[in-house]
């Protein structure tokens, strides 16, 4: 069991940067792969970035490669998503998710068992 709470969303101008955090509670946090997803109105939830339980492997949506960095601090039970060169089409609710599986590179929402409440990111032009 893990509980996730995202923070750091807000309004940012196109071309700017934003960092999101996901604070987790639960004694087994370090055993979970973590990921970020996003969902815009009228769109399906889509994968953004993932990181394995040790923080040694990361994987990203092809369309976002180079603009994002996912990282984790297991001592603080926190996962981060650093975003730069933001575009209006990045506007969405961003969710963090946890996966107990040892398999890396999972990209489907159904692969992840636990979800935060989401944090709104709005990129203005």
């Amino acid at each position: 069991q893990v509980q996730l709470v995202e923070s750091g969303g807000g309004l940012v101008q196109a071309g700017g940067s934003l960092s999101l955090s996901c604070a987790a509670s639960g004694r087994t946090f370090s055993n979970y792969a973590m990921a970020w997803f996003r969902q815009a109105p009228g769109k399906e939830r889509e994968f953004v970035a993932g990181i394995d339980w040790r923080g040694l492997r990361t994987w990203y949506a092809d369309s976002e490669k180079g603009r994002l960095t996912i990282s984790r601090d297991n001592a603080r039970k926190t996962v981060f998503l650093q975003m730069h060169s933001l575009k209006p089409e990045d506007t969405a609710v961003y969710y963090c998710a946890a996966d107990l599986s040892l398999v890396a590179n999972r990209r489907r929402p159904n692969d992840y068992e636990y979800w935060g409440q989401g944090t709104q990111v709005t990129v203005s032009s």
Side-chain angles (χ1 to χ4, degrees), residues 52-115:
D52 73 356
W53 70 276
R54 296 177 297 175
L56 298 180
R57 293 184 61 184
T58 60
W59 54 101
Y60 299 90
D62 290 342
S63 61
E64 308 300 330
K65 185 177 179 64
R67 299 196 302 128
L68 308 173
T69 301
I70 186 171
S71 60
R72 69 191 296 165
D73 183 341
N74 286 346
R76 297 171 57 193
K77 296 185 176 182
T78 304
V79 177
F80 305 94
L81 181 68
Q82 298 173 300
M83 305 182 289
H84 62 90
S85 300
L86 286 165
K87 302 173 288 185
E89 48 264 48
D90 294 319
T91 295
V93 176
Y94 284 71
Y95 299 89
C96 66
D99 171 29
L100 191 56
S101 172
L102 297 178
V103 179
N105 203 36
R106 304 182 84 179
R107 299 167 179 262
R108 303 181 305 164
N110 287 345
D111 292 330
Y112 293 83
E113 301 175 22
Y114 303 105
W115 295 83

Side-chain angles (χ1 to χ4, degrees), residues 33-50:
M34 303 293 296
W36 288 93
F37 291 77
R38 69 185 183 188
Q39 187 167 24
K43 303 291 186 179
E44 295 183 352
R45 189 166 299 188
E46 65 176 356
F47 171 80
V48 177

Side-chain angles (χ1 to χ4, degrees), residues 11-22:
L11 178 64
V12 62
Q13 294 183 356
S17 300
L18 196 64
S19 294
L20 307 181
S21 298
C22 176

